[in-house]
Amino acid sequence: MQILSIQSAVAYGHVGNSAAVFPLQRIGVDVLPVYTVNFSNHTGYGAWRGPMISPDDVRDVITGIAERGVLGQIDAVLSGYQGDTGIADVILEAVAQVKAANPAAVYACDPVMGNAESGCFVAPAIPDLLREKVVPAADIITPNQFELGYLTGTEPDTLESTLAAADAVRALGPRTVLVTSVERPDRPADTIEMLAVDDAGAWIVRTPLLPLKANGSGDVTAALFTAHYVQGRDAAAALARTVSSVFDLLERTHASGQRELQLVAAQESYAHPRMQFEVAQVR
């Protein structure tokens, strides 16, 4: 499997492609990473150095890949945080080129906008751009519960309202939706859930809620779910493998006492997930 991953990159730590590429490689995926920024570290530190890469330069890199004649070998295009409004057009152009070369290829979009604790943390134009232009072109999206609410103009909190919001966003275009950070008022204390919905049904899985903020964990989640889903077209199996891997990554990170994801140390969790959580069909 080959995935063209168009995301940010950092030298120190693990977000964007610097979080997604290694786990994908560890499960046997050949990744073509294209960078949208090349920063010293993620912006959560409040200070960083390095350039944002212009949309024209990102486009030029993708053109160079196309000139190698390999677009037909790509199985999926993956995108995450979009720092510049012009990047959306570049990504959609790349998706169109890849699908023209390989009609079976899919586009997986992580519509990064914010979360329930922080609210929106992207440029003001990005959320509307994602909702109106990017998400309708996607086959797979991986929003958290907060982002799902923004995309649908709802406030999902119960299982029923979250499923309804997933159906509403699927009506926009993407057939497969992974909802992360699902928090229902009736869930057991100190737990969190993840929900996957596609044409075959809907499945949910619950894990302990670990007391840490882990920048980049959503990027790992989107990457692993995309690869597992594209490989087997089985949402329940992709959900089970992804949740197992990501939980063990987060648990190892928490135990380390470090701020950055212990991405390399947790590598066996990607290659050989423990499958320790039950996935329940809810529809």
Side-chain angles (χ1 to χ4, degrees):
M1 181 188 302
Q2 291 194 12
I3 292 180
L4 175 66
S5 183
I6 308 171
Q7 300 195 57
S8 60
V10 294
Y12 174 74
H14 304 289
V15 299
N17 267 332
S18 301
V21 171
F22 178 66
L24 288 173
Q25 291 173 329
R26 194 62 181 81
I27 65 172
V29 176
D30 187 6
V31 187
L32 288 71
V34 175
Y35 301 151
T36 56
V37 308
N38 188 13
F39 287 166
S40 55
N41 51 271
H42 69 70
T43 59
Y45 286 97
W48 65 94
R49 294 179 182 271
M52 291 189 67
I53 300 172
S54 75
D56 285 342
D57 286 339
V58 177
R59 182 182 286 110
D60 204 35
V61 171
I62 296 168
T63 297
I65 295 171
E67 288 171 348
R68 304 286 71 77
V70 298
L71 294 188
Q73 301 170 23
I74 294 172
D75 300 288
V77 178
L78 173 65
S79 71
Y81 172 75
Q82 297 183 22
D84 188 302
T85 56
I87 293 295
D89 287 334
V90 177
I91 292 169
L92 295 179
E93 289 168 13
V95 169
Q97 287 180 279
V98 168
K99 288 191 171 189
N102 177 15
V106 303
Y107 170 38
C109 170
D110 185 9
V112 178
M113 289 180 275
N115 55 58
E117 292 183 3
S118 305
C120 274
F121 51 63
V122 296
I126 295 292
D128 287 344
L129 180 65
L130 287 169
R131 180 173 59 189
E132 296 168 10
K133 192 170 185 178
V134 180
V135 165
D139 301 289
I140 301 169
I141 61 169
T142 59
N144 60 37
Q145 193 175 30
F146 170 85
E147 291 161 342
L148 178 66
Y150 187 89
L151 291 171
T152 57
T154 65
E155 295 183 6
D157 53 3
T158 65
L159 176 59
E160 292 73 19
S161 62
T162 305
L163 284 169
D167 287 341
V169 80
R170 290 175 71 237
L172 297 177
R175 302 311 305 159
T176 303
V177 179
L178 176 70
V179 188
T180 64
S181 301
V182 175
E183 299 184 63
R184 300 188 272 161
D186 58 343
R187 75 188 191 282
D190 300 318
T191 65
I192 196 164
E193 294 169 315
M194 201 176 295
L195 173 73
V197 184
D198 69 359
D199 290 338
W203 295 265
I204 199 164
V205 61
R206 177 182 297 149
T207 73
L209 175 62
L210 297 171
L212 79 164
K213 179 182 180 181
N215 294 92
S217 58
D219 302 319
V220 177
T221 301
L224 289 176
F225 181 81
T226 296
H228 291 314
Y229 188 83
V230 170
Q231 185 173 48
R233 306 288 171 162
D234 184 329
L239 178 64
R241 295 183 72 85
T242 301
V243 167
S244 176
S245 298
V246 173
F247 179 82
D248 281 353
L249 166 63
L250 293 176
E251 189 172 51
R252 183 179 284 267
T253 300
H254 179 55
S256 76
Q258 301 296 309
R259 177 170 180 172
E260 293 291 344
L261 291 176
Q262 299 302 291
L263 196 77
V264 176
Q267 61 183 284
E268 286 303 308
S269 300
Y270 325 135
H272 306 290
R274 292 189 294 143
M275 309 299 283
Q276 68 271 43
F277 300 111
E278 178 185 359
V279 174
Q281 186 165 9
V282 291
R283 193 172 67 195

